[in-house]
Amino acid sequence: DARVTQTPRDKVTEMGQEVTMRCQPILGHNTVFWYRQTMMQGLELLAYFRNRAPLDDSGMPKDRFSAEMPDATLATLKIQPSEPRDSAVYFCASGPGQFYNEQFFGPGTRLTVL
Amino acid sequence: GDSVTQMEGPVTLSEEAFLTINCTYTATGYPSLFWYVQYPGEGLQLLLKATKADDKGSNKGFEATYRKETTSFHLEKGSVQVSDSAVYFCALGEDSSYKLIFGSGTRLLVRP
């Protein structure tokens, strides 16, 4: 049963610390998406990749967030420095790389910045 | 741009009641339409989809029909269970894009 995996599942950190979240997309999927979910803002698309190249990162605060795909099996989202307003659940999703196709979501990383 | 509007929640029903969650969309082109479900503490899971007008998607007793004339994709279930309590998201595939446009989500609470 192919699934998107994310680590860590939970992260508590102090303001100013660097946070790295990792995602392993489903094997064979070539699009990867990062979302953030909060009660106030709902589900927001931060960035997405196709064939490891960033296609759109307009939803991401550029000064502190960065997203990369070092290889086809790993996507990372980094926050440096973290702030309390970054507290949220961060989801990774992958897709088969065709227009109009569904995305498959990971279980999420719950980030708390104190 | 493309957008999805779904009914505000929470929707509270008794077990075995009929469920409808409304979803309407605005889109250029002919998007695919999706319903996702999110159970507490989990990621979104695809519930059903429809790829063209008049298609009916169905899964686990839920169904939705792609209505181009009314630009709607309402989710229905004939008899809900307590285990259906979750947040339901309507989404569309953005024109000429890999992105999905999500609605704001509707929380469903089913009481025994």
Side-chain angles (χ1 to χ4, degrees):
Chain A
D1 185 18
R3 298 186 183 198
V4 175
T5 58
Q6 291 186 245
T7 56
R9 292 295 312 276
D10 279 282
K11 176 72 175 180
V12 180
T13 192
E14 294 192 347
M15 183 173 62
Q17 296 299 303
E18 178 178 299
V19 176
T20 298
M21 291 168 271
R22 294 177 174 82
C23 166
Q24 182 172 11
I26 291 172
L27 190 65
H29 282 185
N30 63 0
T31 52
V32 174
F33 304 80
W34 283 106
Y35 292 88
R36 176 171 64 185
Q37 186 178 41
T38 61
M39 291 294 291
M40 293 300 293
Q41 300 297 326
L43 194 65
E44 304 172 276
L45 177 65
L46 298 175
Y48 76 100
F49 295 77
R50 183 169 186 265
N51 293 329
R52 298 174 55 202
L55 287 192
D56 186 351
D57 62 1
S58 59
M60 211 162 61
K62 302 291 194 305
D63 56 337
R64 299 183 299 106
F65 284 59
S66 62
E68 295 179 342
M69 282 201 72
D71 62 59
T73 64
L74 177 64
T76 61
L77 180 66
K78 291 186 181 180
I79 308 174
Q80 169 62 22
S82 57
E83 297 181 0
R85 59 180 167 151
D86 301 329
S87 298
V89 181
Y90 291 82
F91 290 105
C92 175
S94 70
Q98 298 166 17
F99 288 168
Y100 309 129
N101 259 63
E102 62 265 36
Q103 296 171 14
F104 297 82
F105 281 73
T109 294
R110 179 176 298 277
L111 173 65
T112 303
V113 183
L114 303 174
Chain B
D2 295 358
S3 66
V4 174
T5 302
Q6 55 183 112
M7 61 190 288
E8 297 254 348
V11 173
T12 303
L13 295 173
S14 297
E15 203 166 25
E16 299 183 0
F18 185 86
L19 168 71
T20 300
I21 299 178
N22 290 338
C23 171
T24 57
Y25 67 91
T26 303
T28 54
Y30 302 96
S32 293
L33 300 174
F34 307 88
W35 276 102
Y36 279 81
V37 58
Q38 184 179 28
Y39 299 103
E42 298 184 10
L44 280 70
Q45 301 173 26
L46 179 68
L47 181 59
L48 54 84
K49 71 175 184 179
T51 58
K52 61 183 187 298
D54 299 325
D55 266 3
K56 178 185 283 188
S58 61
N59 186 24
K60 298 181 182 179
F62 291 89
E63 58 183 34
T65 301
Y66 189 158
R67 302 281 189 203
K68 185 168 177 290
E69 63 276 12
T70 55
T71 62
S72 64
F73 192 55
H74 304 321
L75 182 69
E76 296 182 335
K77 187 176 185 184
S79 175
V80 293
Q81 305 299 313
V82 172
S83 57
D84 294 326
S85 298
V87 181
Y88 292 82
F89 292 89
C90 185
L92 66 80
E94 187 183 66
D95 187 42
S96 300
S97 165
Y98 304 102
K99 294 196 291 188
L100 295 181
I101 306 299
F102 285 90
S104 56
T106 302
R107 182 175 301 276
L108 171 66
L109 177 62
V110 181
R111 300 189 186 281

